[in-house]
């Protein structure tokens, strides 16, 4: 099984709807990162969360970290076609390595 | 500041050949990490270089190697290519290391035939 599990694996929403993507770690988190990727391209850094209870927002995207549950959620409000892509969570490990979840593919229907 | 650049963007090689990929980090960033992304395995960590030294290594065979130069530019080499090496290879740079936010390049799409 994956050290970082993302759910759902894919999501199709109507433009204007809200959505949430979850990322759960099976091991202690040393920082949680959210990235967005257009198919076949590089990753775009969205947010980094380091402390339990931390919440960050950028435009219509909000990410929260629940350190006790070893879980993070990414919430998009009033989705737009520009939000479509693959969302990946990444987590730091005490080895210094960064590992990633399998990604959540988001489609936004106009 | 210019972003992370990778060359070439696309590459087609034959089984048994070797390949070298290049990555130029963001100016001032000293850490470069390499990842392999495939549909089946997702994004997997290959290795990280910091100040010309390999600091971390993922679980890949010895055919995968890398190096970093004094200007922080990095190269990744894959010898004796196999069909399963077909993937998007991404490099990321960070000011301090892989435990901090990383900025990714556009990737090199390698196809092995």
């Amino acid at each position: 099984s994956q050290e970082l599990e993302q759910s759902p694996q894919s999501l199709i929403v109507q433009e204007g709807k809200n959505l949430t993507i979850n990322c759960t770690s099976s091991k202690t988190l040393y920082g949680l990162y959210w990235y967005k990727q257009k198919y076949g391209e590089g990753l775009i850094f969205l947010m980094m969360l380091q402390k339990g209870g931390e919440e960050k927002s950028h435009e219509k995207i909000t990410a929260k970290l629940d350190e006790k549950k070893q879980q993070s959620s990414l919430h998009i409000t009033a989705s737009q076609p520009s939000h479509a892509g693959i969302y990946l969570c990444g987590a730091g490990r005490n080895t210094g390595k960064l590992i990633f979840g399998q990604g959540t593919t988001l489609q936004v229907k106009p | 500041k210019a972003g992370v650049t990778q060359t070439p963007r696309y590459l087609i090689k034959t089984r048994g050949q070797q390949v070298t990929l290049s990555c130029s980090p963001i100016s001032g960033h000293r850490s470069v990490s390499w990842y392999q992304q495939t549909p089946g395995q997702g994004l997997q960590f290959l290795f990280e270089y910091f100040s010309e030294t390999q600091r971390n290594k993922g679980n890949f065979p010895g055919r995968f190697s890398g190096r970093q130069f004094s200007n922080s530019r990095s190269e990744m080499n894959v010898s004796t290519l196999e069909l399963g090496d077909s993937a998007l290879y991404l490099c990321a740079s960070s000011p301090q290391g892989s435990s901090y936010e990383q900025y990714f390049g556009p990737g090199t799409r390698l196809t092995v035939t």
Side-chain angles (χ1 to χ4, degrees), chain B residues 35-64:
Chain B
Y35 297 85
Q36 181 196 66
Q37 188 176 35
T38 59
Q41 299 297 318
L43 196 59
Q44 292 187 292
F45 174 79
L46 279 157
F47 29 66
E48 181 211 354
Y49 286 87
F50 185 87
S51 294
E52 300 179 67
T53 303
Q54 187 180 86
R55 195 157 68 169
N56 275 303
K57 191 176 187 303
N59 298 322
F60 278 82
R63 299 185 297 107
F64 292 81

Side-chain angles (χ1 to χ4, degrees), chain B residues 6-108:
Chain B
Q6 290 186 246
T7 57
R9 291 293 312 279
Y10 303 91
L11 205 48
I12 300 175
K13 289 285 188 178
T14 306
R15 264 187 308 178
Q17 287 186 314
Q18 74 164 16
V19 67
T20 299
L21 311 182
S22 181
C23 172
S24 292
I26 291 171
S27 177
H29 285 192
R30 294 167 64 190
S31 167
V32 173
S33 296
W34 287 90
Y35 297 85
Q36 181 196 66
Q37 188 176 35
T38 59
Q41 299 297 318
L43 196 59
Q44 292 187 292
F45 174 79
L46 279 157
F47 29 66
E48 181 211 354
Y49 286 87
F50 185 87
S51 294
E52 300 179 67
T53 303
Q54 187 180 86
R55 195 157 68 169
N56 275 303
K57 191 176 187 303
N59 298 322
F60 278 82
R63 299 185 297 107
F64 292 81
S65 63
R67 59 177 176 168
Q68 187 179 34
F69 302 95
S70 57
N71 62 358
S72 293
R73 191 177 70 84
S74 177
E75 286 183 348
M76 189 194 99
N77 184 276
V78 188
S79 62
T80 320
L81 284 166
E82 299 177 0
L83 294 178
D85 297 333
S86 295
L88 181 67
Y89 289 88
L90 294 160
C91 92
S93 77
S94 169
Q96 298 185 59
S98 59
S99 56
Y100 294 84
E101 61 195 78
Q102 298 188 2
Y103 296 88
F104 283 77
T108 294

Side-chain angles (χ1 to χ4, degrees), chain A residues 26-41:
Chain A
S26 61
K27 295 185 179 180
T28 303
L29 288 170
Y30 293 88
L32 193 290
Y33 308 81
W34 283 100
Y35 289 87
K36 179 185 174 186
Q37 183 181 31
K38 292 285 188 183
Y39 180 75
E41 298 180 9

